[in-house]
Amino acid sequence: QITLKESGPTLVKPTQTLTLTCTFSGFSLSTSGVGVGWIRQPPGKALEWLALIYWDDDKRYSPSLKSRLTITKDTSKNQVVLTMTNMDPVDTATYYCAHRRIWFGELPFDYWGQGTLVTVSS
Amino acid sequence: DIQMTQSPSSLSASVGDRVTITCRASQGISNYLAWYQQKPGKVPKLLIYAASTLQSGVPSRFSGSGSGTDFTLTISSLQPEDVATYYCQKYNSAPEITFGQGTRLEIK
């Protein structure tokens, strides 16, 4: 079955760069149509999409955060890495990775990781 | 950018009630609309995609409709386990993926 798990620091300081890793199983990012995305949720607030990478290395970013985000994949390790630069306390959130695929068009995120809470504080 | 606006922001209903949540897109999005359910402290769960297609394993009391800019999520008979926050999502990534602000559903 498909599973995803996020890992990374729980606490980062303002201005630092955050690096999060999504390790998954049950699918391959070398399979045509498969993608992995990142979504975050500040405490008590709504979901916000951050970035997405597809099997063919097509990358999509939230326009409002594009300058701070980089998404990469390591197919051999079944991992997707998200980096976010210049962290600020407003970036405190639970960060999720999630699976999606293309089948006669894009489909939504259907499998999600458990999420990892990242706090930005000095 | 395309904004997704849900209404109401919160609602309270009785067990057995028919509940409707609406989602409006600021521009037409065809049927690239999904609904998620997020129970307190849990991961979002996909309920519906393509505006009206029920995800496998989701109870049939959930249904979705709409196309273009106006969409609805309906729970035909509210159950206690349906207490959650519901989010709509424009899920095609061109130019971006967008979530609504959420609708918190409680039992009266």
Side-chain angles (χ1 to χ4, degrees):
Chain A
Q1 82 276 22
I2 290 176
T3 64
L4 306 97
K5 187 173 183 179
E6 306 85 354
S7 59
T10 58
L11 179 66
V12 298
K13 290 179 167 49
T15 75
Q16 286 187 335
T17 293
L18 171 68
T19 299
L20 293 173
T21 300
C22 176
T23 303
F24 54 85
S25 64
F27 66 94
S28 172
L29 251 182
S30 61
T31 300
S32 179
V34 173
V36 172
W38 286 92
I39 305 99
R40 70 178 179 180
Q41 185 173 37
K45 296 189 177 181
L47 300 161
E48 178 184 23
W49 170 69
L50 301 176
L52 168 63
I53 190 166
Y54 278 114
W55 85 102
D56 58 357
D57 212 37
D58 182 13
K59 302 170 185 178
R60 312 285 175 94
Y61 295 100
S62 167
S64 63
L65 293 167
K66 184 175 183 177
S67 63
R68 298 174 54 203
L69 297 173
T70 302
I71 190 168
T72 60
K73 62 181 175 67
D74 186 330
T75 304
S76 65
K77 293 183 178 179
N78 280 352
Q79 291 181 334
V80 170
V81 175
L82 180 76
T83 61
M84 180 180 290
T85 61
N86 194 24
M87 293 293 284
D88 183 272
V90 299
D91 297 314
T92 294
T94 296
Y95 287 75
Y96 298 97
C97 63
H99 165 276
R100 66 186 276 162
R101 61 192 178 101
I102 295 175
W103 184 253
F104 293 100
E106 289 182 296
L107 295 176
F109 298 112
D110 51 2
Y111 295 90
W112 293 57
Q114 64 190 24
T116 185
L117 176 62
V118 177
T119 301
V120 184
S121 175
S122 55
Chain B
D1 54 342
I2 298 176
Q3 308 295 324
M4 306 300 292
T5 304
Q6 289 181 232
S7 61
S9 296
S10 65
L11 77 152
S12 182
S14 300
V15 172
D17 281 355
R18 183 181 183 89
V19 171
T20 299
I21 298 169
T22 65
C23 178
R24 175 164 288 176
S26 60
Q27 300 175 34
I29 61 169
S30 184
N31 68 338
Y32 285 102
L33 193 283
W35 291 97
Y36 291 87
Q37 175 194 63
Q38 187 177 32
K39 296 184 178 182
K42 301 297 185 182
V43 176
K45 174 187 175 183
L46 177 64
L47 298 177
I48 287 168
Y49 63 96
S52 61
T53 301
L54 205 63
Q55 177 72 349
S56 176
V58 173
S60 59
R61 64 180 180 273
F62 291 92
S63 64
S65 64
S67 182
T69 60
D70 294 311
F71 303 88
T72 61
L73 171 70
T74 300
I75 306 173
S76 61
S77 177
L78 185 66
Q79 300 302 303
E81 60 267 32
D82 299 335
V83 169
T85 299
Y86 292 83
Y87 293 94
C88 64
Q89 179 203 42
K90 166 197 169 298
Y91 60 82
N92 62 315
S93 60
E96 65 179 309
I97 294 165
T98 312
F99 289 91
Q101 82 277 16
T103 295
R104 180 175 292 183
L105 175 59
E106 299 176 338
I107 298 289
K108 201 180 287 184

